[in-house]
Amino acid sequence: MIVLKNEREQEGMRAAGVVAATVLHEVAAFIAPGVTTREVDQFAAERIKLHGARSAFLGYKKYPCYLCISVNEEVVHGIAGERRLQFGDIVSLDVGVCYRGFIGDNALTVPVGGCSPLAQKLIDVTERSLYEGIAQAVPGNRVVDISRSVQQFVESHGFSVVREFVGHGVGRTMHEEPQVPNYVDGKSSPRLRPGMTLAIEPMVNAGKPAVRVLGDGWTVVSQDGLPSAHFEHTVLITEGEPEILTCHQQMSAPLPA
Ligand code: MF3
Ligand code: CO
């Protein structure tokens, strides 16, 4: 069953989206060479609490951290620990919060200080593929139109989309119907309707699409060891243009007099 959100619920989703996005960008600004992934997780915990929210991930199927932090060939669901981030790494940060009963879910990948041109291209293509997908999130289209547009964009740049993990409906719970794959799977695909809220989240490998899960039971890595990137927004389907709920307001510098 796909839950359509009424006006009040949409307001709740907007508030959760702003908190999730604000925390994500605060955490991204904390990333620097020499910082351990556990310090990043602790920082995320502080920011989430300060905004009056709670982590949607901590405790989910016994997930042990406040956010997911995935480095280089790690695709998603990386677990924080003693690893120190190094210049040249790329780090995927996934932040999901529950705020006043609603969930906001978003992710991005950033270089640690700087990274190789290939890694930067991977990051750019993954982010742009997310916006290609979002552009299809309009009523009348089906979920598969999002999937197709992400996949075509990614593959046209020589990268590959991960099949085993997909985007999802999101609302009062983190994972609702429908699934939102980043590739065309040939299954029947629901029509998009105003009031649907979707987490669209391309996971893109620089090499082959195959992934495996490490012995910790969580960390997903590319099988070929090549880097991977991940971007995610929570999006509301409206009568018109899609509304990105995980937006953060950047304070702008005052205009010169
Ligand atoms: N954004 C991911 C998802 O929607 C994060 C889940 S991490 C978990 O599936 F730990 F909570 F599983
Ligand atoms: Co998600």
Side-chain angles (χ1 to χ4, degrees):
M1 186 200 56
I2 296 176
V3 184
L4 298 181
K5 279 76 180 179
N6 64 28
E7 286 293 340
R8 275 195 50 175
E9 293 165 326
Q10 291 176 21
E11 276 303 309
M13 289 296 291
R14 283 190 186 98
V18 169
V19 173
T22 303
V23 172
L24 178 63
H25 286 267
E26 288 170 346
V27 174
F30 184 77
I31 297 296
V35 171
T36 70
T37 55
R38 193 184 308 287
E39 289 164 350
V40 177
D41 193 55
Q42 278 310 310
F43 182 73
E46 284 171 31
R47 299 313 301 177
I48 291 168
K49 188 171 180 196
L50 191 134
H51 291 290
R54 68 172 176 81
S55 168
F57 299 167
L58 182 70
Y60 176 85
K61 295 185 182 170
K62 302 203 179 146
Y63 186 74
C65 299
Y66 290 84
L67 86 172
C68 298
I69 179 162
S70 310
V71 184
N72 298 336
E73 78 287 357
E74 297 175 356
V75 179
V76 285
H77 303 170
I79 290 176
E82 300 319 309
R83 178 180 191 156
R84 265 180 214 289
L85 298 174
Q86 287 185 21
F87 184 93
D89 287 341
I90 63 170
V91 53
S92 298
L93 303 166
D94 191 343
V95 168
V97 301
C98 184
Y99 181 71
R100 300 189 184 180
F102 291 94
I103 289 178
D105 191 5
N106 61 357
L108 54 69
T109 303
V110 288
V112 179
C115 65
S116 71
L118 174 70
Q120 186 62 56
K121 183 185 167 198
L122 175 69
I123 290 171
D124 293 342
V125 166
T126 307
E127 180 168 25
R128 286 166 61 198
S129 78
L130 170 59
Y131 290 99
E132 294 288 317
I134 291 172
Q136 297 298 320
V138 293
N141 272 356
R142 294 178 183 275
V143 170
V144 68
D145 294 301
I146 299 172
S147 310
R148 186 185 308 102
S149 134
V150 170
Q151 180 176 23
Q152 282 181 353
F153 187 82
V154 166
E155 293 179 353
S156 75
H157 287 86
F159 297 136
S160 53
V161 293
V162 169
R163 309 309 204 245
E164 286 85 346
F165 298 87
V166 296
H168 49 93
V170 54
R172 289 185 179 275
T173 54
M174 183 162 62
H175 292 145
E176 296 182 352
E177 286 183 41
Q179 293 198 347
V180 185
N182 298 299
Y183 67 104
V184 177
D185 62 7
K187 296 182 197 158
S188 75
S189 179
R191 217 174 262 291
L192 299 172
R193 300 194 189 282
M196 287 172 64
T197 44
L198 303 178
I200 304 176
E201 50 178 321
M203 289 145 269
V204 176
N205 288 354
K208 299 240 150 55
V211 297
R212 67 189 172 89
V213 179
L214 296 186
D216 62 20
W218 281 105
T219 311
V220 178
V221 297
S222 64
Q223 275 188 23
D224 60 15
L226 293 178
S228 188
H230 179 209
F231 280 80
E232 175 179 30
H233 271 309
T234 299
V235 174
L236 169 69
I237 314 297
T238 75
E239 304 279 350
E241 295 293 298
E243 182 179 334
I244 297 174
L245 300 182
T246 40
C247 55
H248 70 116
Q249 282 88 4
Q250 185 83 45
M251 191 113 58
S252 56
L255 291 171

